[in-house]
Amino acid sequence: MSKPFLSIERLTQRFPDGQGGTLTVFENASFGIEKGEFVCILGHSGCGKSTIMNILAGLAEPTSGVVKMDGLEVAGPSLDRGVVFQNYSLLPWLSTLKNVIFGVKARYPDWPRDKVEAHARDYLAKVGLEGDVVHRKPSQLSGGMRQRVSIARAFANHPKLLLLDEPFGALDALTRGTIQDELLKIWGGTEQTVFMITHDIDEAILLADRILLMTNGPYARVAESVEISIPRPRNRTEIVEHPNYYTIRNHLVQFLGQRSKEMAGERIEGEDLRPETVRIDQAAAPATEDNPDKPPLRAVNE
Amino acid sequence: MLDNLSINQRAAILSLVMLVVGLLIWEAAIPAQKAAEDLTEYERLMGLGQERAGVPPPSDVLVKAWEQLSDPFYDAGPNDKGIGIQIGYSIYRVLSGYLMAALVAIPLGFLIGMSRVAYKAFNPFIQVLRPISPLAWMPLALFIIQDSEASAIFVIFICSIWPMLINTAFGVAGVRQDWVNVARTHELGSLKTAFTVILPAAAPTIITGMRISIGIAWLVIVAAEMLVGGTGIGYYVWNEWNNLDLTSVIFSILMIGVVGMLLDSAFAVLQRAVAYAE
Ligand SMILES: Nc1ncnc2c1ncn2[C@@H]1O[C@H](COP(=O)(O)OP(=O)(O)O)[C@@H](O)[C@H]1O
Ligand SMILES: [Mg+2]
């Protein structure tokens, strides 16, 4: 088995629990992400998703374990890993355009000013921000527009890996929808590898190639890796018509509603805890008669 | 009719009314000096008939102001200089002491704000030195520096350093981790992070400290110049008091207020320029 583009190997994170003991958020977690893949991670609040993402970004160090990207160990933050945070990732004293320019200048320090600006404007236009809006400060933008700017800034830098931590968590459902579409559009034209945290099941199905499911902590595990067998380009109204949609959705709901709690806190001894690959495909294997309502699950262990 | 005016216009009218009423009351409250022949025997014996210094009416002050402001820069010897020259000396001292304080306080405040160790190490010194009245340093400064001019500047330095130091440290320590993370994920070096992220993020707090400092410096310079003498608006006030020229005293008090206000409003402009909404 060849090494994936991004490989997370035996990652363990412990924190002092504030009462003299230690809290093990996760232990020996291992998984990989392929180049160009869009991976979402789903799990309840507090299970350790942001902790994983901060380690991938290089903003935090794990207690033990390594993250390798392109075969090189991640040590500290890098322009190769762009991050979109849930909030506050724009600098409020800079205009929208200047915020994007800030990123482009850091990435391409040799570019002349006008090239930097044109590039920044180009990416803002890709998320629908053109004209006078680009001169507004973040505080004068709606929450949705602000997140668009963050996305434009991240994509404009062509990072090898894009990390998004609940980027739409603070937005209302309608705005969420439009920005998801915009994210799909801007992602569609690239080979961008994306790792995104969310707690919205429908969002994950719409966007991801693969969804990682995390159990509740402590000793949280990335228990399953569910492949989203729905062809692209996807669209929120058509996607629900696909035969796999509800089976996948039910599987996810069931995991988050029940199994994530059942598996919480159970510590599994093991060197290398990898998620079980789950492929749900109604079209390929229709439900058999003796087992009509159970989706055909296949656990594939490579 | 008043209903049609904006709040600002109404406030301006009210201010003007208060000013005029205040001046009229002041003017009316000053009793006219009795002519010598109207004095009673008793009053003459008590020496009440002599020309004495009384609080001058505002009209006198206005005349004085006109006189002084129409030729603010005349120089007729050490004890007779125009108000412009005196204020110029004071501003020069305030600005030199203040700039030196800023050069020390802002970088040091950055350091203290960035490092918990530095914060803890410097804190006891700051806590002890800060409450000392700046004028208490004066004898020591005069002894060590041996120069009254430089001592006055030193006193300004020492009094303006604290608000700038504390506010800079506070502002820098309070910069959102998310913004620092933006700098980190963009691989900015520490100097670049300091100038492009931390400085603009902390600027409103730093400028607030600078504004407090300049206010204190202007308060202190008057007292310092009364002590060291020679030149400056503080010396001028004291000198006119010794001459029993209360009209000049009142006029220069007003000038101290006006200059203080101008200094403060310059910082208000600066504060607005660096302010941001989250
Ligand atoms: N710096 C820290 N110190 C102590 N505990 C932490 C720290 N960061 C996160 N935790 C704990 O780790 C767990 C996972 O947090 P987090 O990764 O933010 O969860 P999620 O993003 O999945 O909601 C939580 O229980 C949280 O309290
Ligand atoms: Mg989180």
Side-chain angles (χ1 to χ4, degrees):
Chain A
M1 194 180 78
S2 70
K3 284 254 169 188
F5 163 67
L6 183 78
S7 82
I8 286 90
E9 295 164 17
R10 302 171 59 191
L11 213 57
T12 301
Q13 180 71 62
R14 294 180 225 278
F15 289 120
D17 67 357
Q19 290 142 29
T22 55
L23 164 77
T24 302
V25 185
F26 44 79
E27 194 175 52
N28 289 334
S30 303
F31 58 93
I33 295 177
E34 298 299 336
K35 206 168 181 73
E37 231 185 346
F38 197 128
V39 174
C40 281
I41 188 160
L42 269 175
H44 284 281
S45 191
C47 68
K49 305 180 297 294
S50 297
T51 307
I52 290 187
M53 207 205 71
N54 284 333
I55 295 170
L56 296 191
L59 291 169
E61 282 212 6
T63 310
S64 69
V66 286
V67 175
K68 284 185 184 160
M69 190 169 85
D70 261 346
L72 292 174
E73 191 173 328
V74 166
S78 152
L79 279 162
D80 284 335
R81 290 181 299 278
V83 190
V84 174
F85 301 95
Q86 179 171 350
N87 284 316
Y88 308 120
S89 67
L90 296 177
L91 304 174
W93 54 88
L94 297 178
S95 70
T96 297
L97 179 62
K98 295 234 170 83
N99 262 288
V100 181
I101 287 179
F102 175 92
V104 180
K105 262 202 328 217
R107 176 93 227 198
Y108 304 107
D110 305 331
W111 283 11
R113 277 180 69 101
D114 45 343
K115 187 172 180 191
V116 169
E117 187 177 327
H119 186 76
R121 281 182 186 274
D122 195 25
Y123 273 82
L124 280 169
K126 280 186 210 264
V127 290
L129 294 172
E130 284 174 287
D132 284 344
V133 211
V134 304
H135 298 299
R136 287 207 215 147
K137 298 270 170 70
S139 59
Q140 299 161 311
L141 300 178
S142 67
M145 282 161 134
R146 270 183 246 175
Q147 245 0 334
R148 284 195 181 113
V149 181
S150 301
I151 290 169
R153 183 176 66 188
F155 273 91
N157 272 8
H158 307 305
K160 287 184 181 165
L161 173 66
L162 187 56
L163 301 160
L164 303 132
D165 189 353
E166 300 195 26
F168 312 132
L171 306 180
D172 62 274
L174 281 177
T175 317
R176 218 167 220 265
T178 13
I179 304 196
Q180 286 163 0
D181 291 341
E182 246 138 35
L183 180 61
L184 271 182
K185 212 173 69 195
I186 193 171
W187 177 74
T190 60
E191 299 282 282
Q192 188 69 61
T193 313
V194 181
F195 181 78
M196 172 166 156
I197 297 175
T198 175
H199 52 227
D200 180 333
I201 291 177
D202 296 298
E203 177 172 280
I205 301 178
L206 175 67
L207 299 172
D209 293 317
R210 204 146 61 77
I211 296 177
L212 298 175
L213 292 174
M214 231 172 140
T215 64
N216 292 3
Y219 295 102
R221 281 190 298 133
V222 182
E224 289 185 10
S225 158
V226 181
E227 292 183 1
I228 307 302
S229 41
I230 300 175
R232 293 183 192 270
R234 295 179 196 155
N235 150 330
R236 75 184 56 261
T237 45
E238 286 165 16
I239 193 177
V240 294
E241 315 269 329
H242 195 277
N244 291 349
Y245 184 81
Y246 280 104
T247 354
I248 295 174
R249 195 174 189 284
N250 287 343
H251 181 77
L252 301 177
V253 169
Q254 203 250 348
F255 180 92
L256 289 180
Q258 208 178 332
R259 287 196 293 136
S260 65
K261 293 187 193 87
E262 289 166 6
M263 291 193 241
E266 71 182 50
R267 182 180 186 185
I268 301 211
E269 299 292 335
E271 289 282 277
D272 212 21
L273 303 176
R274 290 189 177 272
E276 194 180 347
T277 300
V278 175
R279 197 172 290 139
I280 297 171
D281 204 342
Q282 293 280 54
T288 49
E289 261 167 42
D290 48 60
N291 207 357
D293 45 20
K294 209 165 177 219
L297 290 187
R298 252 188 314 144
V300 184
N301 292 310
E302 285 110 328
Chain B
M1 184 202 88
L2 272 172
D3 293 341
N4 295 333
L5 300 174
S6 75
I7 289 186
N8 283 343
Q9 287 168 322
R10 273 186 268 175
I13 292 174
L14 198 57
S15 298
L16 216 64
V17 170
M18 287 195 280
L19 179 69
V20 170
V21 171
L23 289 178
L24 283 177
I25 293 174
W26 177 7
E27 185 84 41
I30 309 292
Q33 212 131 75
K34 281 187 184 175
E37 53 267 31
D38 298 335
L39 295 172
T40 60
E41 189 75 11
Y42 172 76
E43 282 170 328
R44 233 168 295 163
L45 282 173
M46 296 299 290
L48 291 175
Q50 288 152 4
E51 270 274 20
R52 64 189 169 96
V55 174
S59 49
D60 284 7
V61 177
L62 280 177
V63 171
K64 183 84 190 175
W66 178 254
E67 210 177 284
Q68 284 283 341
L69 292 176
S70 52
D71 185 13
F73 298 109
Y74 76 90
D75 189 351
N79 277 336
D80 193 10
K81 294 188 203 302
I83 188 85
I85 293 184
Q86 304 288 22
I87 288 178
Y89 275 113
S90 300
I91 290 181
Y92 156 74
R93 288 185 189 122
V94 163
L95 290 187
S96 2
Y98 180 82
L99 285 179
M100 282 192 276
L103 287 180
V104 174
I106 293 173
L108 196 60
F110 244 81
L111 179 73
I112 294 174
M114 302 271 264
S115 143
R116 290 185 60 79
V117 177
Y119 173 82
K120 291 202 180 231
F122 278 100
N123 197 38
F125 298 104
I126 296 175
Q127 295 308 330
V128 172
L129 294 177
R130 194 176 56 124
I132 298 172
S133 162
L135 293 174
W137 292 97
M138 189 62 105
L140 193 63
L142 284 170
F143 177 75
I144 294 172
I145 308 176
Q146 302 267 321
D147 177 74
S148 60
E149 174 80 27
S151 302
I153 292 176
F154 172 78
V155 166
I156 295 304
F157 169 84
I158 206 82
C159 77
S160 32
I161 205 164
W162 309 116
M164 286 197 268
L165 183 67
I166 289 164
N167 268 47
T168 306
F170 188 73
V172 168
V175 173
R176 264 186 201 293
Q177 190 56 40
D178 305 75
W179 300 335
V180 177
N181 283 345
V182 169
R184 292 178 64 202
T185 53
H186 285 86
E187 289 187 37
L188 299 192
S190 20
L191 216 58
K192 202 127 194 230
T193 304
F195 280 104
T196 58
V197 176
I198 296 177
L199 188 61
T205 322
I206 297 177
I207 302 287
T208 303
M210 295 180 79
R211 189 173 174 183
I212 297 171
S213 280
I214 198 84
I216 294 178
W218 189 246
L219 289 179
V220 168
I221 193 64
V222 175
E225 285 171 344
M226 283 181 178
L227 279 176
V228 297
T231 48
I233 189 75
Y235 167 72
Y236 180 84
V237 176
W238 201 248
N239 198 33
E240 296 304 327
W241 157 239
N242 285 334
N243 295 339
L244 285 181
D245 183 353
L246 282 178
T247 317
S248 292
V249 169
I250 293 175
F251 166 66
S252 42
I253 288 175
L254 284 176
M255 290 309 292
I256 292 171
V258 170
V259 174
M261 183 186 78
L262 292 178
L263 287 173
D264 186 66
S265 36
F267 278 90
V269 170
L270 208 57
Q271 212 165 21
R272 235 167 292 138
V274 299
Y276 58 84
E278 277 180 38

